[in-house]
């Protein structure tokens, strides 16, 4: 194992003074709390394991779905201590069996730490055992009690993540004489391990006061996600009924399916559910359930739209492909786009309908079925 991350989320955030008394790391900003925001933007291939140090009651209350929703990271929970140093120690000790080469320790209240800074810290550990980002003060600083100016050049903001060779930080937590340290670099320095300081980023500020929340809201990047959907149904050549594609009735033999077999809507639904990490259409509307027998697939589309709204996402664009020999899709594309934009409350310019034949090859080419695929991009509001 190479890299592990310890995310400290045990704090109670008393300085934020929010009316609901929710610790800041769990306050939802639109659809994500600070921990979720950080994890959403963290590259998947950096850490083999992420230990989130948190009070079990808080984990249950605010992070119960985290592992499932962020399945692309390997997340574990570790019980926090009654101060930062103890929480960090619990995180480090929880990694003893795994024994990673490098570990980064990060405060959950710094959700804007970016991948570039994180990767730089990891790289620095090839040359040192402890590394911390810092930034210089640029404000005029006055030490009130003595009423005298202090040289700005000797004051630094120390940030997290702080990066360590695992054995060094394990040793520091075991041997340190400190008991309530504000960061982990102080612990390694306390046992005479040299620190390499690298330039941090102003955007990687710690959310502490109400003002910081405003700043976070202005700075945070939009979360964008993508989803893909595919569906295929067989043509019922014997039926006299009409075909339904994206809600448009077309004079062509219909498709066979449990519902109205609208491959277009089904592919769109799967792409939206995929983008929301909500499995697929069959999971929500089981085709063994009589309730959905001959159902109008508009119902499934409306359900997907509700999920988007619930999770506070909007569609950036939706691109749909039909693959069939007949009918001529282009003839009906305008009506299809109208239907889609009505259900999803979406500007028509954001929807594209394209069509391909299968060059008369295999089952689609033989006019036995119609397939559709859909790609959607969504963004938080
Ligand atoms: Zn289907």
């Amino acid at each position: 194992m190479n890299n592990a991350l310890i995310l400290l989320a045990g704090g109670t955030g008393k300085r934020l003074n929010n009316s609901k008394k929710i610790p800041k790391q769990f306050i939802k900003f639109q659809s994500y709390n600070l921990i979720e925001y950080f994890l959403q933007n963290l590259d998947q291939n950096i850490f083999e394991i992420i230990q989130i140090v948190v009070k079990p009651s808080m984990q249950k209350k605010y992070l119960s779905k985290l592992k499932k929703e962020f399945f692309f990271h390997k997340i574990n929970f570790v019980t926090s201590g009654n101060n930062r140093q103890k929480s960090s120690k619990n995180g480090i000790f929880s990694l003893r069996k795994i024994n990673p080469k490098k570990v980064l320790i990060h405060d959950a209240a710094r959700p804007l730490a970016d991948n570039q800074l994180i990767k730089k810290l990891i790289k620095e550990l090839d040359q040192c055992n402890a590394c911390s980002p810092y930034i210089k003060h640029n404000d005029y600083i006055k030490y009130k009690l003595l009423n005298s100016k202090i040289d700005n050049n000797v004051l630094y903001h120390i940030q997290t993540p702080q990066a360590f060779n695992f054995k060094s930080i394990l040793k520091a937590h075991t041997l340190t004489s400190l008991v309530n340290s504000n960061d982990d670099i102080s612990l390694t320095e306390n046992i005479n391990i040299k620190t390499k300081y690298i330039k941090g980023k102003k955007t990687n500020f710690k959310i502490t006061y109400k003002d910081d929340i405003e700043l976070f809201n202005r700075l945070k990047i939009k979360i964008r996600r993508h989803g893909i959907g595919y569906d295929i149904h067989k043509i019922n050549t014997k039926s006299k009924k009409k075909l339904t594609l994206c809600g448009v009735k077309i004079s062509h033999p219909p498709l066979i399916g449990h519902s109205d077999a609208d491959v277009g809507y089904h592919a769109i639904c799967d792409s939206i559910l995929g983008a929301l990490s909500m499995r697929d259409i069959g999971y929500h509307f089981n085709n063994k359930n009589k309730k959905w027998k001959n159902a109008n697939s508009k119902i499934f589309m409306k359900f997907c739209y509700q999920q988007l709204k619930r999770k506070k996402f909007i569609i950036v664009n939706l691109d749909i492909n039909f693959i069939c020999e007949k009918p001529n899709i282009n003839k009906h594309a305008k009506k299809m786009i109208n239907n889609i934009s009505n259900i999803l409350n979406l500007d028509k310019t954001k929807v594209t309908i394209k069509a391909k034949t299968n060059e008369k090859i295999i089952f689609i080419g033989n006019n036995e079925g119609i397939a559709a695929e859909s790609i959607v991009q969504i963004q938080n509001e």
Side-chain angles (χ1 to χ4, degrees), residues 296-350:
N296 184 337
S297 295
K298 200 175 167 180
I299 299 168
F300 312 148
M301 288 282 282
K302 280 184 176 168
F303 169 80
C304 293
Y305 177 60
Q306 290 306 327
Q307 302 313 308
L308 279 168
K309 271 198 7 189
R310 189 171 65 83
K311 296 202 165 195
K312 304 223 167 15
F313 275 95
I314 53 166
I315 291 176
V316 178
N317 77 308
L318 179 63
D319 189 13
I320 302 131
N321 254 346
F322 282 99
I323 306 136
C324 57
E325 298 298 319
K326 277 179 196 167
N328 181 342
I329 299 292
N330 289 333
K331 262 188 174 174
H332 307 280
K334 208 175 162 188
K335 274 189 184 168
M336 291 182 188
I337 291 172
N338 274 343
N339 287 345
I340 295 164
S341 89
N342 282 338
I343 301 173
L344 299 177
N345 192 18
L346 187 63
D347 194 283
K348 286 174 202 163
T349 57
K350 294 179 176 175

Side-chain angles (χ1 to χ4, degrees), residues 231 233 262-263 266:
D231 197 24
H233 284 262
D262 191 329
V263 277
H266 294 182

Side-chain angles (χ1 to χ4, degrees), residues 261-293:
D262 191 329
V263 277
Y265 277 172
H266 294 182
I268 295 170
C269 287
D270 263 1
S271 65
I272 295 173
L273 293 171
L276 292 170
S277 299
M278 285 185 65
R279 305 182 69 157
D280 62 15
I281 193 172
Y283 176 77
H284 299 281
F285 302 96
N286 194 310
N287 64 10
K288 289 188 178 71
N289 188 338
K290 279 186 187 155
K291 202 174 164 189
W292 313 122
K293 182 100 182 105

